[in-house]
């Protein structure tokens, strides 16, 4: 996963490194990041559903439950990192582009 560093400028505003990109490039990146974020959320929801259903099933072992929980928590961390990246792109772009659902 790409690490996005922030730097402090002289006016005390945090400036993402995306600020040097053209608006057209940023919009393409933003749309792709929005699609990625939606896909991650859907996958996270599926894992969460599997984990909660497994919690209600007395035949599921504690090691399987732990594995599902670990997977869900790892997915949450990835989603949070991706959300930060998306936020930085949108901040640099200056608006949220229209992205149809689906």
């Amino acid at each position: 996963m790409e690490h996005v560093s922030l730097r402090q400028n002289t006016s005390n505003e945090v400036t993402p490194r995306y600020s040097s990109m053209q608006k057209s490039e940023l919009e393409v990146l933003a749309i792709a990041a929005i699609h990625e974020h939606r896909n991650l959320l859907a996958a996270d929801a599926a894992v969460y559903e599997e984990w909660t259903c497994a919690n209600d099933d007395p035949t599921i072992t504690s090691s399987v439950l732990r594995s599902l929980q670990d997977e869900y928590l790892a997915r949450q961390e990835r989603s949070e990192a991706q959300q930060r990246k998306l936020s930085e792109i949108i901040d640099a772009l200056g608006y949220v582009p229209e992205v149809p659902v689906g």
Side-chain angles (χ1 to χ4, degrees):
M1 177 171 288
E2 177 182 286
H3 175 71
V4 178
S5 62
L6 298 177
R7 61 187 185 280
Q8 193 80 17
N9 69 18
T10 56
S11 66
N12 292 328
E13 294 177 17
V14 176
T15 306
R17 74 174 191 183
Y18 297 108
S19 63
S20 64
M21 296 178 72
Q22 298 292 320
K23 292 289 184 186
S24 59
E25 295 172 308
L26 285 168
E27 189 165 313
V28 169
L29 276 179
I31 290 169
I34 290 167
H35 283 296
E36 179 183 356
H37 189 67
R38 289 176 180 171
N39 290 338
L40 284 172
L41 289 176
D44 291 352
V47 170
Y48 181 78
E49 180 69 23
E50 185 177 356
W51 174 36
T52 56
C53 287
N55 259 328
D56 295 336
D57 185 343
T59 65
I60 303 296
T61 66
S62 61
S63 63
V64 170
L65 287 174
R66 194 171 319 109
S67 176
L68 288 169
Q69 180 182 14
D70 291 347
E71 174 65 20
Y72 178 72
L73 294 174
R75 287 178 164 280
Q76 288 296 292
E77 288 178 17
R78 285 192 298 271
S79 290
E80 288 171 15
Q82 196 278 333
Q83 175 63 44
R84 285 189 299 276
K85 178 181 172 182
L86 171 59
S87 181
E88 290 175 11
I89 293 168
I90 288 174
D91 284 350
L93 182 59
Y95 64 94
V96 178
E98 292 273 335
V99 181
V101 176

XYZ file of all heavy atoms in Angstrom:
805
model
N 0.838 -1.158 0.000
C 0.000 0.000 0.000
C 0.888 1.227 0.000
O 1.888 1.304 0.684
C -0.907 -0.015 1.226
C -1.764 1.219 1.339
S -3.019 1.101 2.619
C -4.098 -0.052 1.836
N 0.488 2.236 -0.752
C 1.252 3.457 -0.885
C 1.139 4.297 0.374
O 0.067 4.482 0.919
C 0.705 4.234 -2.077
C 1.350 5.557 -2.291
C 0.727 6.290 -3.440
O 0.985 5.894 -4.590
O -0.028 7.230 -3.191
N 2.256 4.786 0.856
C 2.243 5.675 2.008
C 2.184 7.103 1.493
O 2.959 7.491 0.640
C 3.497 5.476 2.852
C 3.595 6.438 3.980
N 2.762 6.372 5.073
C 4.396 7.499 4.164
C 3.065 7.352 5.897
N 4.056 8.042 5.367
N 1.235 7.871 1.997
C 1.087 9.253 1.593
C 1.596 10.133 2.725
O 1.074 10.090 3.825
C -0.397 9.578 1.291
C -0.554 11.024 0.918
C -0.906 8.676 0.185
N 2.629 10.891 2.427
C 3.162 11.762 3.466
C 2.565 13.156 3.312
O 2.244 13.603 2.218
C 4.680 11.833 3.354
O 5.055 12.382 2.119
N 2.418 13.820 4.431
C 1.951 15.200 4.440
C 3.112 16.077 4.841
O 3.953 15.694 5.631
C 0.803 15.370 5.435
C -0.454 14.579 5.160
C -1.452 14.808 6.287
C -1.062 14.979 3.846
N 3.112 17.295 4.342
C 4.139 18.236 4.752
C 3.445 19.525 5.185
O 2.392 19.870 4.675
C 5.136 18.489 3.635
C 4.527 19.075 2.380
C 5.564 19.137 1.260
N 5.015 19.808 0.107
C 4.214 19.258 -0.795
N 3.877 18.001 -0.689
N 3.753 19.943 -1.822
N 4.047 20.207 6.107
C 3.488 21.448 6.626
C 4.026 22.588 5.767
O 5.214 22.707 5.546
C 3.930 21.605 8.084
C 3.201 22.646 8.843
C 1.844 22.150 9.312
O 1.594 20.963 9.341
N 0.985 23.058 9.653
N 3.122 23.450 5.261
C 3.630 24.591 4.507
C 3.705 25.808 5.417
O 3.354 25.764 6.581
C 2.791 24.828 3.238
C 1.381 25.319 3.527
O 1.084 25.793 4.610
N 0.527 25.200 2.537
N 4.163 26.928 4.885
C 4.411 28.099 5.720
C 3.150 28.741 6.257
O 3.201 29.454 7.251
C 5.213 29.149 4.925
O 4.506 29.449 3.729
C 6.602 28.644 4.615
N 1.992 28.507 5.653
C 0.752 29.095 6.160
C 0.057 28.175 7.160
O -1.105 28.368 7.471
C -0.187 29.426 4.995
O -0.603 28.248 4.360
N 0.779 27.163 7.660
C 0.272 26.213 8.651
C -0.867 25.349 8.136
O -1.609 24.784 8.920
C -0.135 26.910 9.949
C 1.052 27.455 10.686
O 2.134 26.881 10.629
N 0.866 28.558 11.373
N -1.036 25.250 6.850
C -2.004 24.324 6.278
C -1.287 23.023 5.943
O -0.161 23.030 5.484
C -2.617 24.889 4.989
C -3.469 26.109 5.195
C -3.975 26.645 3.872
O -3.936 25.913 2.860
O -4.405 27.802 3.850
N -1.952 21.908 6.172
C -1.384 20.625 5.793
C -1.657 20.434 4.309
O -2.783 20.539 3.858
C -2.010 19.487 6.618
C -1.475 18.151 6.155
C -1.723 19.687 8.092
N -0.606 20.188 3.548
C -0.737 20.069 2.100
C -0.397 18.666 1.655
O 0.725 18.221 1.833
C 0.214 21.064 1.391
O -0.048 22.359 1.898
C 0.001 21.050 -0.098
N -1.352 17.960 1.066
C -1.038 16.620 0.569
C -0.160 16.704 -0.677
O -0.178 17.693 -1.397
C -2.403 16.027 0.256
C -3.326 17.169 0.129
C -2.727 18.327 0.876
N 0.561 15.657 -0.892
C 1.444 15.666 -2.065
C 0.661 15.646 -3.369
O 1.206 15.936 -4.419
C 2.417 14.499 -2.007
C 1.762 13.174 -2.308
C 2.786 12.108 -2.366
N 2.161 10.928 -2.907
C 2.752 9.792 -3.053
N 4.000 9.660 -2.705
N 2.123 8.767 -3.560
N -0.630 15.347 -3.304
C -1.461 15.343 -4.501
C -1.702 16.748 -5.039
O -2.189 16.915 -6.146
C -2.810 14.671 -4.217
C -2.695 13.216 -3.838
C -2.930 12.802 -2.530
C -2.363 12.257 -4.784
C -2.826 11.464 -2.181
C -2.259 10.923 -4.437
C -2.500 10.527 -3.124
O -2.397 9.221 -2.781
N -1.382 17.780 -4.269
C -1.692 19.149 -4.664
C -0.973 19.589 -5.934
O -1.408 20.530 -6.582
C -1.388 20.114 -3.530
O -0.012 20.101 -3.232
N 0.086 18.915 -6.324
C 0.812 19.306 -7.531
C 0.229 18.661 -8.796
O 0.673 18.964 -9.897
C 2.289 18.931 -7.398
O 2.427 17.524 -7.312
N -0.769 17.811 -8.634
C -1.353 17.119 -9.786
C -2.442 17.975 -10.432
O -3.050 18.828 -9.794
C -1.944 15.774 -9.347
C -0.905 14.800 -8.823
S -1.632 13.251 -8.257
C -2.086 12.521 -9.822
N -2.681 17.717 -11.709
C -3.748 18.384 -12.448
C -5.108 17.923 -11.931
O -5.256 16.784 -11.503
C -3.643 18.052 -13.946
C -2.368 18.516 -14.601
C -2.301 20.025 -14.671
O -3.292 20.686 -14.948
N -1.126 20.571 -14.406
N -6.109 18.808 -12.014
C -7.465 18.464 -11.553
C -8.003 17.237 -12.290
O -8.652 16.389 -11.685
C -8.429 19.646 -11.745
C -8.133 20.820 -10.861
C -8.460 20.543 -9.417
C -8.231 21.775 -8.569
N -8.391 21.542 -7.152
N -7.722 17.122 -13.578
C -8.224 15.971 -14.348
C -7.621 14.664 -13.834
O -8.310 13.649 -13.737
C -7.931 16.141 -15.840
O -6.538 16.276 -16.066
N -6.328 14.690 -13.475
C -5.682 13.503 -12.913
C -6.256 13.184 -11.525
O -6.495 12.020 -11.204
C -4.175 13.729 -12.772
C -3.433 13.906 -14.076
C -1.994 14.312 -13.841
O -1.738 15.281 -13.100
O -1.108 13.632 -14.397
N -6.459 14.214 -10.738
C -7.014 14.025 -9.395
C -8.422 13.458 -9.449
O -8.792 12.619 -8.641
C -7.014 15.348 -8.627
C -5.663 15.814 -8.126
C -5.738 17.261 -7.641
C -5.154 14.910 -7.015
N -9.208 13.929 -10.414
C -10.574 13.421 -10.521
C -10.577 11.935 -10.864
O -11.338 11.160 -10.281
C -11.373 14.209 -11.546
C -12.840 13.841 -11.508
C -13.737 14.823 -12.226
O -13.600 16.033 -12.023
O -14.596 14.326 -12.987
N -9.704 11.518 -11.769
C -9.586 10.097 -12.107
C -9.171 9.297 -10.872
O -9.731 8.235 -10.583
C -8.589 9.885 -13.275
C -8.250 8.421 -13.470
C -9.158 10.481 -14.572
N -8.179 9.807 -10.128
C -7.741 9.141 -8.899
C -8.869 9.087 -7.871
O -9.068 8.060 -7.212
C -6.558 9.889 -8.279
C -5.176 9.588 -8.796
C -4.146 10.459 -8.075
C -4.827 8.127 -8.615
N -9.597 10.182 -7.720
C -10.690 10.237 -6.746
C -11.775 9.226 -7.087
O -12.253 8.499 -6.213
C -11.273 11.646 -6.673
N -12.159 9.150 -8.342
C -13.201 8.206 -8.757
C -12.748 6.772 -8.511
O -13.501 5.952 -7.981
C -13.605 8.459 -10.225
C -14.357 9.795 -10.311
C -14.437 7.310 -10.784
C -14.592 10.300 -11.728
N -11.501 6.477 -8.859
C -10.973 5.126 -8.618
C -10.939 4.828 -7.112
O -11.293 3.724 -6.692
C -9.576 4.987 -9.225
N -10.537 5.807 -6.308
C -10.464 5.606 -4.859
C -11.859 5.438 -4.254
O -12.038 4.664 -3.320
C -9.724 6.776 -4.208
N -12.843 6.141 -4.794
C -14.223 5.990 -4.320
C -14.732 4.590 -4.637
O -15.340 3.935 -3.786
C -15.134 7.083 -4.903
C -14.783 8.441 -4.279
C -16.612 6.747 -4.693
C -15.395 9.646 -4.978
N -14.470 4.127 -5.856
C -14.860 2.747 -6.211
C -14.177 1.738 -5.298
O -14.810 0.797 -4.800
C -14.521 2.437 -7.674
C -15.465 3.035 -8.652
N -16.797 2.694 -8.727
C -15.260 3.962 -9.623
C -17.376 3.380 -9.686
N -16.473 4.162 -10.248
N -12.881 1.932 -5.070
C -12.135 1.028 -4.196
C -12.718 1.045 -2.787
O -12.892 0.002 -2.153
C -10.656 1.417 -4.155
C -9.824 0.533 -3.256
C -8.367 0.968 -3.172
O -7.945 1.916 -3.859
O -7.639 0.339 -2.379
N -13.041 2.240 -2.298
C -13.593 2.360 -0.949
C -14.942 1.640 -0.853
O -15.191 0.925 0.114
C -13.746 3.830 -0.568
C -14.103 4.032 0.861
N -13.236 3.718 1.884
C -15.234 4.476 1.444
C -13.824 3.981 3.040
N -15.039 4.437 2.799
N -15.775 1.801 -1.847
C -17.069 1.110 -1.849
C -16.881 -0.404 -1.856
O -17.588 -1.126 -1.149
C -17.907 1.543 -3.057
C -18.423 2.961 -2.950
C -19.157 3.369 -4.196
N -19.642 4.738 -4.091
C -20.170 5.410 -5.109
N -20.300 4.841 -6.295
N -20.594 6.647 -4.935
N -15.938 -0.881 -2.653
C -15.664 -2.326 -2.705
C -15.144 -2.844 -1.366
O -15.539 -3.921 -0.917
C -14.675 -2.648 -3.824
C -15.271 -2.459 -5.196
O -16.488 -2.486 -5.386
N -14.413 -2.241 -6.185
N -14.256 -2.072 -0.745
C -13.730 -2.473 0.559
C -14.846 -2.531 1.607
O -14.913 -3.465 2.396
C -12.640 -1.502 1.026
C -11.281 -1.627 0.363
C -10.371 -0.481 0.793
C -10.637 -2.962 0.681
N -15.732 -1.536 1.593
C -16.835 -1.526 2.552
C -17.751 -2.729 2.360
O -18.181 -3.349 3.342
C -17.638 -0.229 2.428
C -16.947 1.043 2.919
C -17.826 2.257 2.656
C -16.581 0.955 4.381
N -18.026 -3.073 1.119
C -18.888 -4.231 0.846
C -18.220 -5.526 1.320
O -18.867 -6.377 1.939
C -19.213 -4.313 -0.641
N -16.932 -5.659 1.048
C -16.208 -6.856 1.486
C -16.121 -6.903 3.007
O -16.281 -7.970 3.605
C -14.808 -6.881 0.864
N -15.887 -5.749 3.631
C -15.838 -5.686 5.096
C -17.174 -6.118 5.694
O -17.213 -6.846 6.689
C -15.511 -4.272 5.575
C -14.098 -3.841 5.259
O -13.297 -4.689 4.801
O -13.791 -2.647 5.460
N -18.258 -5.660 5.097
C -19.592 -6.014 5.590
C -19.831 -7.516 5.485
O -20.417 -8.124 6.386
C -20.665 -5.240 4.827
N -19.366 -8.120 4.398
C -19.530 -9.572 4.221
C -18.749 -10.343 5.282
O -19.255 -11.314 5.854
C -19.083 -9.981 2.820
N -17.526 -9.917 5.560
C -16.714 -10.581 6.583
C -17.349 -10.372 7.958
O -17.407 -11.297 8.768
C -15.249 -10.079 6.559
C -14.466 -10.575 7.759
C -14.573 -10.527 5.264
N -17.839 -9.165 8.211
C -18.499 -8.897 9.491
C -19.729 -9.786 9.661
O -19.948 -10.362 10.735
C -18.894 -7.420 9.587
C -19.568 -7.088 10.897
C -18.818 -6.930 12.052
C -20.949 -6.946 10.973
C -19.425 -6.638 13.267
C -21.567 -6.658 12.180
C -20.801 -6.497 13.318
O -21.413 -6.223 14.514
N -20.515 -9.921 8.616
C -21.708 -10.775 8.655
C -21.322 -12.227 8.943
O -21.946 -12.898 9.768
C -22.471 -10.683 7.329
C -23.708 -11.529 7.273
C -24.824 -11.047 8.190
O -24.844 -9.858 8.541
O -25.675 -11.869 8.554
N -20.276 -12.694 8.270
C -19.797 -14.064 8.499
C -19.344 -14.239 9.947
O -19.658 -15.238 10.599
C -18.652 -14.385 7.536
C -18.170 -15.805 7.618
C -17.075 -16.131 6.616
O -16.729 -15.272 5.783
O -16.559 -17.259 6.681
N -18.620 -13.254 10.469
C -18.125 -13.304 11.837
C -19.279 -13.312 12.833
O -19.294 -14.114 13.775
C -17.187 -12.124 12.067
C -16.677 -11.933 13.458
C -16.337 -12.901 14.362
C -16.438 -10.695 14.111
N -15.893 -12.332 15.534
C -15.947 -10.974 15.413
C -16.572 -9.373 13.723
C -15.608 -9.978 16.316
C -16.233 -8.380 14.620
C -15.756 -8.686 15.904
N -20.264 -12.418 12.643
C -21.382 -12.365 13.589
C -22.243 -13.623 13.515
O -22.711 -14.104 14.555
C -22.252 -11.115 13.391
O -22.725 -11.067 12.052
C -21.479 -9.849 13.723
N -22.434 -14.179 12.331
C -23.179 -15.442 12.206
C -22.415 -16.577 12.892
O -23.014 -17.425 13.557
C -23.440 -15.778 10.747
S -24.689 -14.738 9.981
N -21.106 -16.593 12.726
C -20.284 -17.632 13.350
C -20.344 -17.517 14.872
O -20.324 -18.534 15.572
C -18.843 -17.533 12.858
N -20.423 -16.282 15.372
C -20.547 -16.070 16.816
C -21.803 -16.720 17.379
O -21.814 -17.152 18.525
C -20.581 -14.574 17.143
C -19.258 -14.061 17.629
O -18.506 -14.772 18.276
N -18.982 -12.820 17.316
N -22.851 -16.769 16.587
C -24.125 -17.343 17.023
C -24.198 -18.854 16.828
O -25.177 -19.471 17.222
C -25.283 -16.677 16.269
C -25.408 -15.199 16.609
O -24.956 -14.790 17.697
O -25.957 -14.454 15.770
N -23.181 -19.420 16.191
C -23.176 -20.859 15.903
C -22.283 -21.576 16.919
O -21.067 -21.421 16.914
C -22.647 -21.095 14.480
C -22.714 -22.534 14.043
O -22.857 -23.443 14.907
O -22.608 -22.764 12.827
N -22.896 -22.373 17.797
C -22.103 -23.037 18.844
C -21.133 -24.092 18.305
O -20.241 -24.526 19.038
C -23.164 -23.666 19.747
C -24.374 -23.783 18.909
C -24.312 -22.687 17.893
N -21.273 -24.486 17.050
C -20.368 -25.496 16.491
C -19.059 -24.888 15.979
O -18.129 -25.615 15.646
C -21.041 -26.272 15.349
O -21.312 -25.380 14.264
C -22.328 -26.933 15.818
N -18.999 -23.570 15.898
C -17.792 -22.895 15.398
C -16.773 -22.799 16.536
O -17.081 -22.349 17.633
C -18.127 -21.485 14.870
C -19.190 -21.550 13.758
C -16.878 -20.763 14.389
C -18.749 -22.267 12.517
N -15.565 -23.213 16.241
C -14.507 -23.215 17.260
C -14.014 -21.799 17.551
O -14.139 -20.893 16.710
C -13.312 -24.078 16.819
O -12.709 -23.455 15.675
C -13.737 -25.501 16.501
N -13.424 -21.643 18.704
C -12.901 -20.328 19.092
C -11.769 -19.887 18.161
O -11.615 -18.698 17.904
C -12.437 -20.329 20.543
O -11.400 -21.250 20.732
N -11.000 -20.821 17.638
C -9.908 -20.444 16.723
C -10.465 -19.899 15.402
O -9.903 -18.963 14.830
C -8.961 -21.615 16.475
O -9.626 -22.673 15.832
N -11.564 -20.466 14.935
C -12.200 -19.946 13.714
C -12.774 -18.568 13.990
O -12.621 -17.638 13.179
C -13.283 -20.917 13.191
C -14.107 -20.276 12.085
C -12.653 -22.215 12.711
N -13.427 -18.389 15.131
C -13.964 -17.078 15.500
C -12.854 -16.036 15.596
O -13.002 -14.913 15.104
C -14.718 -17.160 16.826
C -16.067 -17.854 16.799
C -16.629 -17.986 18.207
C -17.037 -17.110 15.902
N -11.751 -16.416 16.212
C -10.608 -15.506 16.336
C -10.069 -15.144 14.957
O -9.732 -13.983 14.701
C -9.517 -16.148 17.200
C -8.459 -15.172 17.658
C -7.492 -15.764 18.690
N -8.143 -16.593 19.689
C -8.037 -17.935 19.763
N -7.290 -18.592 18.910
N -8.653 -18.616 20.714
N -9.992 -16.118 14.078
C -9.506 -15.873 12.720
C -10.426 -14.893 11.976
O -9.955 -13.975 11.305
C -9.408 -17.192 11.964
O -9.028 -16.973 10.638
N -11.735 -15.090 12.112
C -12.689 -14.180 11.473
C -12.585 -12.777 12.063
O -12.629 -11.780 11.336
C -14.112 -14.715 11.611
C -14.451 -15.928 10.759
C -15.786 -16.527 11.183
C -14.475 -15.554 9.283
N -12.434 -12.703 13.371
C -12.289 -11.406 14.019
C -11.013 -10.709 13.545
O -11.031 -9.522 13.222
C -12.259 -11.562 15.534
C -12.115 -10.242 16.261
C -12.047 -10.408 17.770
O -11.860 -11.505 18.278
N -12.202 -9.325 18.489
N -9.920 -11.450 13.499
C -8.646 -10.882 13.033
C -8.761 -10.390 11.599
O -8.247 -9.318 11.259
C -7.522 -11.908 13.156
C -7.153 -12.218 14.597
O -7.588 -11.480 15.514
O -6.442 -13.227 14.806
N -9.432 -11.162 10.754
C -9.625 -10.761 9.354
C -10.437 -9.476 9.285
O -10.107 -8.554 8.539
C -10.324 -11.875 8.573
C -10.692 -11.509 7.153
C -9.508 -11.240 6.237
O -8.387 -11.682 6.547
O -9.716 -10.597 5.195
N -11.499 -9.408 10.053
C -12.336 -8.214 10.052
C -11.544 -6.997 10.531
O -11.595 -5.930 9.900
C -13.584 -8.418 10.926
C -14.438 -7.188 10.989
C -15.182 -6.772 9.888
C -14.481 -6.411 12.145
C -15.941 -5.625 9.934
C -15.249 -5.264 12.198
C -15.980 -4.873 11.090
O -16.738 -3.730 11.141
N -10.798 -7.133 11.609
C -10.017 -6.013 12.132
C -8.933 -5.571 11.151
O -8.694 -4.371 10.981
C -9.421 -6.375 13.490
C -10.451 -6.589 14.604
C -9.768 -7.087 15.876
C -11.266 -5.338 14.865
N -8.301 -6.513 10.485
C -7.298 -6.174 9.471
C -7.943 -5.425 8.307
O -7.373 -4.456 7.786
C -6.600 -7.438 8.972
N -9.122 -5.865 7.909
C -9.850 -5.180 6.836
C -10.212 -3.756 7.254
O -10.162 -2.838 6.438
C -11.101 -5.946 6.453
C -10.821 -7.201 5.671
C -12.121 -7.948 5.372
N -11.892 -8.914 4.340
C -11.835 -8.647 3.036
N -12.011 -7.434 2.610
N -11.598 -9.590 2.159
N -10.588 -3.576 8.504
C -10.917 -2.245 9.000
C -9.705 -1.320 8.915
O -9.838 -0.156 8.514
C -11.431 -2.320 10.440
C -12.810 -2.901 10.561
C -13.838 -2.030 9.881
O -14.113 -0.931 10.337
N -14.386 -2.503 8.783
N -8.546 -1.834 9.260
C -7.327 -1.029 9.162
C -7.040 -0.637 7.719
O -6.668 0.507 7.438
C -6.141 -1.788 9.748
C -6.184 -1.898 11.250
C -5.028 -2.708 11.817
O -4.022 -2.931 11.107
O -5.138 -3.123 12.980
N -7.194 -1.585 6.793
C -6.979 -1.273 5.372
C -7.990 -0.238 4.893
O -7.643 0.678 4.146
C -7.062 -2.533 4.518
C -5.834 -3.429 4.630
C -5.803 -4.520 3.582
N -6.918 -5.452 3.678
C -6.942 -6.551 4.412
N -5.890 -6.876 5.130
N -7.988 -7.340 4.429
N -9.236 -0.378 5.314
C -10.273 0.576 4.909
C -9.979 1.975 5.442
O -10.180 2.966 4.740
C -11.655 0.113 5.385
O -12.070 -1.019 4.662
N -9.505 2.044 6.684
C -9.163 3.344 7.264
C -8.013 3.999 6.511
O -8.046 5.207 6.242
C -8.813 3.191 8.739
C -10.008 2.889 9.612
C -9.631 2.527 11.038
O -8.472 2.773 11.444
O -10.500 2.002 11.745
N -7.008 3.232 6.163
C -5.873 3.772 5.405
C -6.332 4.247 4.034
O -5.914 5.313 3.561
C -4.782 2.717 5.269
N -7.192 3.468 3.396
C -7.694 3.846 2.082
C -8.567 5.096 2.194
O -8.515 5.969 1.332
C -8.470 2.674 1.465
C -8.702 2.796 -0.025
C -9.886 3.673 -0.370
O -10.819 3.805 0.393
N -9.832 4.270 -1.542
N -9.340 5.219 3.259
C -10.173 6.400 3.477
C -9.317 7.652 3.654
O -9.650 8.717 3.134
C -11.075 6.211 4.697
C -11.897 7.441 5.065
C -12.878 7.838 3.999
O -13.555 6.995 3.439
N -12.961 9.121 3.703
N -8.201 7.533 4.364
C -7.293 8.675 4.518
C -6.749 9.107 3.162
O -6.691 10.298 2.859
C -6.149 8.345 5.478
C -6.560 8.340 6.944
C -5.359 8.237 7.881
N -4.585 7.022 7.715
C -4.878 5.850 8.284
N -5.926 5.739 9.059
N -4.119 4.801 8.079
N -6.358 8.139 2.346
C -5.850 8.438 1.012
C -6.922 9.130 0.182
O -6.667 10.154 -0.463
C -5.391 7.145 0.330
C -4.898 7.325 -1.080
C -4.492 5.972 -1.673
C -4.170 6.087 -3.136
N -3.833 4.779 -3.717
N -8.136 8.601 0.205
C -9.244 9.199 -0.534
C -9.488 10.627 -0.060
O -9.668 11.540 -0.874
C -10.510 8.349 -0.369
C -11.811 8.936 -0.898
C -11.719 9.235 -2.385
C -12.971 7.979 -0.609
N -9.470 10.834 1.232
C -9.693 12.165 1.791
C -8.639 13.154 1.306
O -8.956 14.295 0.953
C -9.692 12.084 3.315
O -9.926 13.334 3.876
N -7.393 12.725 1.261
C -6.311 13.596 0.787
C -6.494 13.937 -0.689
O -6.259 15.077 -1.091
C -4.963 12.941 1.026
C -4.598 12.875 2.494
C -3.309 12.125 2.754
O -2.576 11.816 1.795
O -3.033 11.859 3.931
N -6.903 12.973 -1.476
C -7.131 13.219 -2.908
C -8.264 14.219 -3.080
O -8.156 15.181 -3.843
C -7.440 11.900 -3.657
C -6.212 10.993 -3.658
C -7.896 12.187 -5.088
C -6.493 9.568 -4.109
N -9.357 14.016 -2.347
C -10.510 14.911 -2.460
C -10.157 16.310 -1.942
O -10.576 17.317 -2.528
C -11.734 14.309 -1.757
C -12.244 13.137 -2.606
C -12.828 15.350 -1.533
C -13.353 12.346 -2.011
N -9.377 16.390 -0.868
C -8.933 17.697 -0.384
C -8.149 18.434 -1.461
O -8.348 19.632 -1.669
C -8.066 17.551 0.867
C -8.865 17.245 2.112
O -10.121 17.332 2.078
O -8.243 16.882 3.135
N -7.260 17.734 -2.142
C -6.466 18.360 -3.205
C -7.345 18.732 -4.401
O -7.145 19.777 -5.018
C -5.341 17.429 -3.645
N -8.320 17.886 -4.704
C -9.220 18.151 -5.824
C -10.141 19.325 -5.514
O -10.447 20.127 -6.396
C -10.037 16.882 -6.147
C -11.007 16.941 -7.312
C -10.304 17.288 -8.617
C -11.747 15.610 -7.445
N -10.617 19.400 -4.285
C -11.467 20.519 -3.903
C -12.954 20.211 -3.943
O -13.775 21.045 -3.577
N -13.304 19.029 -4.392
C -14.713 18.621 -4.433
C -14.786 17.106 -4.574
O -13.797 16.469 -4.929
C -15.472 19.293 -5.592
C -14.958 18.903 -6.964
C -15.529 17.858 -7.673
C -13.899 19.599 -7.546
C -15.048 17.499 -8.935
C -13.421 19.249 -8.798
C -14.004 18.200 -9.482
O -13.530 17.848 -10.722
N -15.968 16.569 -4.275
C -16.198 15.129 -4.443
C -16.843 14.929 -5.808
O -17.936 15.453 -6.058
C -17.116 14.571 -3.337
C -17.383 13.081 -3.562
C -16.514 14.813 -1.965
N -16.183 14.209 -6.703
C -16.765 14.009 -8.032
C -17.990 13.088 -7.968
O -18.121 12.265 -7.078
C -15.637 13.349 -8.829
C -14.763 12.712 -7.807
C -14.898 13.535 -6.560
N -18.883 13.281 -8.920
C -20.051 12.416 -9.047
C -19.575 11.016 -9.452
O -18.839 10.875 -10.423
C -20.992 12.937 -10.125
C -21.656 14.249 -9.776
C -22.937 14.058 -8.997
O -23.562 12.985 -9.109
O -23.299 15.005 -8.277
N -19.993 10.025 -8.690
C -19.641 8.642 -8.997
C -20.921 7.823 -8.857
O -21.408 7.637 -7.749
C -18.557 8.086 -8.048
C -18.201 6.647 -8.423
C -17.318 8.971 -8.077
N -21.465 7.333 -9.983
C -22.695 6.547 -9.891
C -22.472 5.284 -9.077
O -21.393 4.709 -9.076
C -23.024 6.185 -11.337
C -22.095 6.959 -12.191
C -20.987 7.472 -11.337
N -23.508 4.898 -8.331
C -23.460 3.650 -7.568
C -23.611 2.496 -8.549
O -24.443 2.527 -9.440
C -24.591 3.624 -6.505
C -24.598 2.290 -5.782
C -24.423 4.776 -5.550
N -22.772 1.498 -8.348
C -22.893 0.317 -9.199
C -21.715 -0.031 -9.997
O -20.703 0.417 -10.110
